[in-house]
Amino acid sequence: MAGKFQKILEQATDSTLVEPNWEGIILCTDMIRSGEVPAKPSLQAIRKRLQHENPHVVNHTLLVLDACVKNCGHKVHSEVATREFMEDFKNLVTENKYDEVKNKSLEMLQCWATAFANKPEYKMVVDTHNLMKLAGFDFPSLKEADAMFMAQVAPEWADGPECYRCRSVFTVFTRKHHCRACGQIFCDKCSSREMALPQFGIEKEVRVCETCYEKNKAEIKE
Ligand SMILES: O=P(O)(O)O[C@@H]1[C@H](O)[C@H](OP(=O)(O)O)[C@@H](O)[C@H](O)[C@H]1O
């Protein structure tokens, strides 16, 4: 499966892309979130891709990483909050010569450090942020969507033998599906809606259940 993730990651971060490949980005997060690929080797693949000499590849990879941090929960956070990962990430600011890479890296680190401020298990992220601030790096102000991320981290995907809403039992014909907003498991009929989830950094419309669709639509109207 690691090979499959590497292939999807390379497609999502191809140097010829002129705009984000949200299809590929979501696929990367889904593969990790669903447990189809283990988080550790996937984050190692992302970490390696961040060292690419082409800044377009690095920028696309930063989008994949940002979506993974915002949508895959602890399994990704624990890989990012390591000395090795933070050392490489810091180098994107101190060693990379492209401003777009530096600025995006600073923006992401700022968001993570704020979201993890009270989580001692992710101390490495907060410490890296503080050390860089002390070293005089100028962090951008937090974007509203990132502030929303701090409040909410996408839930892990549930598993089960039946649809969470109508209780129909999954079979070869009644396939499992997941709502990207609540992480619960549904049949196709109960999760046929799609919508963007900016609170999780997802700008592309993705599958959601009826309840989350109505709830998020109502919130957007407010
Ligand atoms: O179709 P399958 O081969 O059963 O695979 C399912 C699809 O990948 C679903 O994606 P989706 O939620 O985007 O439909 C995912 O939510 C399920 O966990 C998988 O079991």
Side-chain angles (χ1 to χ4, degrees):
M1 278 310 162
K4 184 179 172 193
F5 181 81
Q6 182 65 32
K7 186 164 169 290
I8 302 287
L9 177 64
E10 286 170 6
Q11 287 168 355
T13 59
D14 189 278
S15 60
T16 60
L17 288 167
V18 291
E19 56 185 29
N21 171 359
W22 283 109
E23 198 81 35
I25 292 171
I26 300 298
L27 211 43
C28 287
T29 60
D30 281 358
M31 289 176 81
I32 295 173
R33 195 167 157 183
S34 65
E36 186 179 344
V37 292
K40 186 179 276 299
S42 306
L43 271 291
Q44 282 166 347
I46 290 173
R47 184 176 147 207
K48 187 167 180 293
R49 196 89 173 139
L50 287 172
Q51 309 310 317
H52 200 282
E53 78 277 353
N54 184 314
H56 298 299
V57 170
V58 177
N59 278 321
H60 288 306
T61 307
L62 285 170
L63 290 179
V64 172
L65 176 59
D66 201 29
C68 288
V69 170
K70 289 176 176 171
N71 289 278
C72 302
H74 172 72
K75 62 174 81 171
V76 164
H77 300 165
S78 55
E79 297 301 329
V80 168
T82 58
R83 184 174 306 285
E84 301 76 18
F85 200 103
M86 278 293 107
E87 189 57 34
D88 278 1
F89 200 77
K90 181 171 68 67
N91 290 342
L92 287 178
V93 179
T94 56
E95 311 299 326
N96 194 295
K97 57 181 186 286
Y98 295 99
D99 286 346
E100 200 180 343
V101 169
K102 288 174 185 285
N103 294 336
K104 181 64 181 171
S105 303
L106 285 168
E107 178 194 304
M108 288 166 63
L109 186 55
Q110 166 92 319
C111 175
W112 301 345
T114 312
F116 298 155
N118 304 317
K119 295 186 184 267
E121 64 271 35
Y122 307 139
K123 187 174 178 307
M124 193 54 68
V125 174
V126 179
D127 289 353
T128 302
H129 176 256
N130 290 337
L131 286 170
M132 290 177 75
K133 274 182 85 169
L134 286 172
F137 287 97
D138 187 20
F139 283 87
S141 56
L142 212 52
K143 284 187 338 195
E144 191 196 329
D146 286 335
M148 286 166 75
F149 155 61
M150 283 170 11
Q152 311 176 51
V153 176
E156 309 268 327
W157 281 7
D159 200 356
E162 61 189 23
C163 173
Y164 182 72
R165 182 166 179 262
C166 71
R167 300 293 172 207
S168 54
V169 175
F170 293 125
T171 65
V172 173
F173 304 105
T174 308
R175 308 292 292 184
K176 293 180 179 181
H177 299 282
H178 281 88
C179 166
R180 274 28 172 203
C182 66
Q184 272 299 346
I185 193 163
F186 298 93
C187 68
D188 185 56
K189 276 202 311 298
C190 294
S191 61
S192 58
R193 306 283 200 160
E194 290 199 340
M195 70 190 316
L197 298 171
Q199 68 270 36
F200 299 146
I202 297 180
E203 298 174 17
K204 172 186 168 298
E205 296 206 335
V206 291
R207 182 190 292 272
V208 294
C209 68
E210 289 296 320
T211 309
C212 288
Y213 180 78
E214 296 308 329
K215 180 168 158 281
N216 281 276
K217 278 288 178 213
E219 280 169 8
I220 290 168
K221 283 204 180 76
E222 277 168 15

